[in-house]
Amino acid sequence: MPSYAVLTTTLGGPIGPRGGESFALPPVAPGPLTVRAFAVVEETPPRPRPRPRPRPGDDYVEPEPVVREIELDVEIVRGATVVATGHGSMTYAVPELASNYSVRVKNGSARERECVIEVRYTSQRSILSRRLPLAFFRRKFDEFVNDRRDPLVQLRVHGHELRVTIARDLAELHGIPPLVKDLGHLEADLPGPFNPDISIHDLNSNSIEIDAIIVNRPGSSSLETAAITVELGFETDGVEIRLNNFGDVDLQKLELRVQFALVRTSFGGTGMVGVRPTVTADVKATLNNGPNGIARQKVKETLESKGTEALLAIDLQHTMSKVLTRWLIGGLWDVRDVGLDGTDIVITYVEPAVGTLVDPFPETPQPPLVPGNLSKIEHIVVVMMENRSFDHMLGHLRLAGRADIDGYRGDERNVYKSRVYTPAPLASTTFEHSPCHDFDCVLNQVQGDMGGFVADFAHRYESRGADLGSVMGYHTGAQLPVYSLLAEEFAVCNRWFSAHPGPTWPNRFYTVTGRLNRDSFGRFEYDNPDLDLFAPVLAKTIFDHLKSRGVSWRYYEHGYCFLRLFHNFLGDVENVLPATRFFEDVAAGTLPSVAFLDPDYIDVPPGNDDHPPADVRNGQRFVGRVVDALMRGPKWDKTLFLLTYDEHGGFYDHVKPPAAVDVCGVDEYGPRVPGFVISPWVERRRAFDNVLDHTSILKTIVRRFCAANPPDLGARVREANDVEPLLSLAAPRTDRPSIPIPEAVAAREPVALRRIAPGSRDFHDLLRVARERYPVRRPQRVISTVLDPLGGGGGLIGRTR
């Protein structure tokens, strides 16, 4: 049974004289429903009788109005039936889940009155919890703070001013301004008549390390919580501290340690994950011509007291709480508790209100399917690359003699400003300018007979001097050795279309859910979401359906994967694993039934997903390694590998997208993308002409592993073709073609370090923003135990190295 949250709400409004008014209640669960109803009445006290006779110069003051609460008659109504009545306050025991309760309040006065109804009820919103291993939490800081090139936080003390500055990228992302604190007048407090002034000059932090430990909760000697510790080191060259009448201070060491204990806090009545800071300083200093302890003690006391005071500022606490709450549970939802269970941080919170979510799609029972040739398969592996069209990557095959491949014929053209543009081979394996592939751009590109690609490319890049015809260019077999071999040895799909005529987000969403995403207003998202408004998605994926049916699955990532953008998988470290684990599982024969492997979008420069300006040679290396590993693995005879691209990336393709099932106001597919079906059950040099799209991946998975009880993944999946006809051989092939694996190519600019442009909706930028807000780093497998150096409830904790 779920644990429902007990909530309070206030209703009310005007009620006419001698009348009544009904107010709908939120959906309720079994439990006590307490209602208190009253009218707010403002009355002026009567003037005293007899009135005193005024004297010249007297000022008469009217008495202040008095506000009173008058209890009202109240009824609790379910549907049209009154189930309880009372006066003022009453409690009713709700017997079952219901959404049709209301409260009717009566006004017996001859005047209109403003009524207030206070309701306390058991809601239908569950109490949820998120569990994060402490070592996992710690590794987040290693990746996103300790291993940064530029410090996350810098602290500077100059004169009487303490300034704390957050790294520019995070400050812009979360809107965090520099924190400035006036330290006030500093004196040394010596015994006797001398109290020399302390003067601090250009004292700057130069290192930072953040960790996570176990401590006692503030105000408790037994309950434990996690704490974030920040250790700041300071440069000590030159003279940072002076005491008048005593000379300069030789500052030899200064380290500042800030401990933020995680607690529940509340702003505006909504619980959040907050912090309680304490500051300790380690100072080693020598004072010329004076007692050495003076400077050390005064600097220590000042930084500890003033630093703690500054960190307790309400604005900073509110900002930190919002950032932490979004980071740890995925949204600003009502936090009920923050604590520790063993070495796991446990946060309990209330399920988001119905008004903040979109009602789920109804799930209609689906008829059983017949696996057919798919019964030969035990493992389905899916790789989806980024932003290249069929003709851009495979159009050369027809020119090279493969008449069965629907590539370039030689008569393709676009006309822009009376100039004719035709396809030509690209000299470089990188493409500097990423063509537009937003929904509106794609509609412009496919107009007429696919004649708008050059014009759309020119709209964005003509003023920058770009070669406009390059958007119709294509790579050659020499540049794509892995794809050339796969086309010879396995099946090329001539009619694999992107599911949506738009960018990455909606196409990848189709790939794992069968539908488009809807924003918080219920509108379908035809483009990538706004970075500032994005929150992890609660939609159900194929992986939720596989889990409920006991089908094994894993999603492998390079640092951060698409599945992390879904709420259920924000912190999943059981089924969402590093890409290195994929190759281990393949070699060991322990692949799950369904495996998705994302390329490297953002984590390790230079990237290998083929998204411009990534070098396609790195994409060839990535795909080559995957195919080579599968063919060498012990389960190759039972494996099906599906390789495609999310969308065409704005690059030219000559085939007009056909009509598609209209499920969200869009009734056609997006342009073609490369698609390969790779398995020992597939004939060599096969060209497949059935229409496929990204929902064909889901149809293939469902038909193989959920045939008896298919989940409802929408009309697109229900009507989609799958790849079952391609597994037509009577026995698996025994040949093992040699797969070329090109050398890696370094990027001119690290992908992960590029700045996010204002207003960007690029998918890579979305992943980077999401990774900053909801970072994930699993603990490594070797865990040693170290002693918490702080003591005081720390004890033994696991530290991953």
Side-chain angles (χ1 to χ4, degrees), residues 151-166 178-183 186 199-208 232-235 239-241 251 254 256 299 302-303 306-307 310-311:
L152 177 75
V153 176
Q154 287 187 302
L155 186 147
R156 181 175 186 262
V157 183
H158 184 70
H160 296 164
E161 182 183 271
L162 169 68
R163 177 177 290 265
V164 180
T165 304
I166 307 296
L179 169 67
V180 180
K181 175 68 177 177
D182 187 352
L183 299 178
L186 307 180
S199 161
I200 300 178
H201 299 270
D202 197 25
L203 180 62
N204 297 288
S205 64
N206 63 355
S207 66
I208 181 172
L232 287 167
F234 290 80
E235 52 87 12
V239 176
E240 285 87 5
I241 302 175
L251 185 61
L254 175 58
L256 199 64
V299 172
T302 299
L303 290 176
K306 299 291 187 179
L311 292 171

Side-chain angles (χ1 to χ4, degrees), residues 227-479:
I228 302 168
T229 62
V230 182
E231 295 186 0
L232 287 167
F234 290 80
E235 52 87 12
T236 57
D237 296 332
V239 176
E240 285 87 5
I241 302 175
R242 293 189 177 95
L243 272 69
N244 65 331
N245 303 324
F246 283 92
D248 298 338
V249 175
D250 181 11
L251 185 61
Q252 300 168 348
K253 175 185 178 183
L254 175 58
E255 292 180 350
L256 199 64
R257 182 182 178 92
V258 186
Q259 179 176 295
F260 296 98
L262 298 185
V263 296
R264 180 192 180 275
T265 188
S266 178
F267 291 92
T270 300
M272 297 185 187
V273 181
V275 294
R276 289 292 180 268
T278 56
V279 181
T280 56
D282 185 1
V283 182
K284 184 177 182 182
T286 301
L287 174 61
N288 298 326
N289 304 318
N292 291 338
I294 295 175
R296 182 193 67 79
Q297 188 61 29
K298 188 58 183 179
V299 172
K300 176 179 172 65
E301 292 175 357
T302 299
L303 290 176
E304 290 178 352
S305 62
K306 299 291 187 179
T308 301
E309 179 183 336
L311 292 171
L312 285 170
I314 189 68
D315 289 344
L316 179 64
Q317 286 280 306
H318 193 192
T319 298
M320 293 179 68
S321 295
K322 288 194 294 185
V323 171
L324 274 173
T325 304
R326 283 197 187 102
W327 189 20
L328 297 176
I329 64 174
L332 293 179
W333 302 325
D334 189 9
V335 173
R336 292 298 177 91
D337 189 38
V338 180
L340 209 70
D341 181 13
T343 57
D344 289 347
I345 302 167
V346 180
I347 304 167
T348 57
Y349 59 98
V350 179
E351 180 183 16
V354 174
T356 64
L357 305 176
V358 179
D359 291 337
F361 286 104
E363 294 189 19
T364 305
Q366 300 295 297
L369 300 170
V370 178
N373 287 327
L374 287 168
S375 60
K376 304 170 184 177
I377 297 300
E378 293 180 0
H379 308 281
I380 296 177
V381 177
V382 178
V383 168
M384 180 171 279
M385 303 291 279
E386 280 275 300
N387 294 35
R388 304 281 174 159
S389 72
F390 184 98
D391 279 345
H392 180 74
M393 301 296 274
L394 302 180
H396 71 276
L397 291 173
R398 186 182 184 94
L399 298 176
R402 286 288 301 271
D404 57 336
I405 302 296
D406 191 0
Y408 284 125
R409 302 180 303 270
D411 58 351
E412 296 80 11
R413 53 184 275 166
N414 268 201
V415 179
Y416 175 66
K417 292 183 177 180
S418 301
R419 179 179 173 182
V420 176
Y421 293 85
T422 58
L426 296 168
S428 175
T429 52
T430 62
F431 201 92
E432 181 179 357
H433 303 297
S434 177
C436 180
H437 40 278
D438 292 344
F439 181 65
D440 289 339
C441 292
V442 179
L443 296 185
N444 289 328
Q445 291 161 6
V446 302
Q447 63 178 315
D449 189 18
M450 306 297 280
F453 284 83
V454 173
D456 190 78
F457 188 66
H459 176 73
R460 179 171 293 192
Y461 294 114
E462 185 175 23
S463 61
R464 306 186 196 182
D467 176 7
L468 300 186
S470 63
V471 77
M472 296 184 71
Y474 60 89
H475 290 293
T476 65
Q479 293 168 331

Side-chain angles (χ1 to χ4, degrees), residues 184-195:
H185 185 63
L186 307 180
E187 290 185 339
D189 296 331
L190 292 177
F194 299 105
N195 286 309

Side-chain angles (χ1 to χ4, degrees), residues 766-785:
L766 170 63
L767 282 176
R768 291 169 59 197
V769 168
R771 191 177 71 166
E772 292 286 355
R773 290 178 181 167
Y774 320 108
V776 175
R777 189 68 173 184
R778 60 188 46 78
Q780 297 175 6
R781 300 182 198 178
V782 179
I783 299 181
S784 60
T785 301

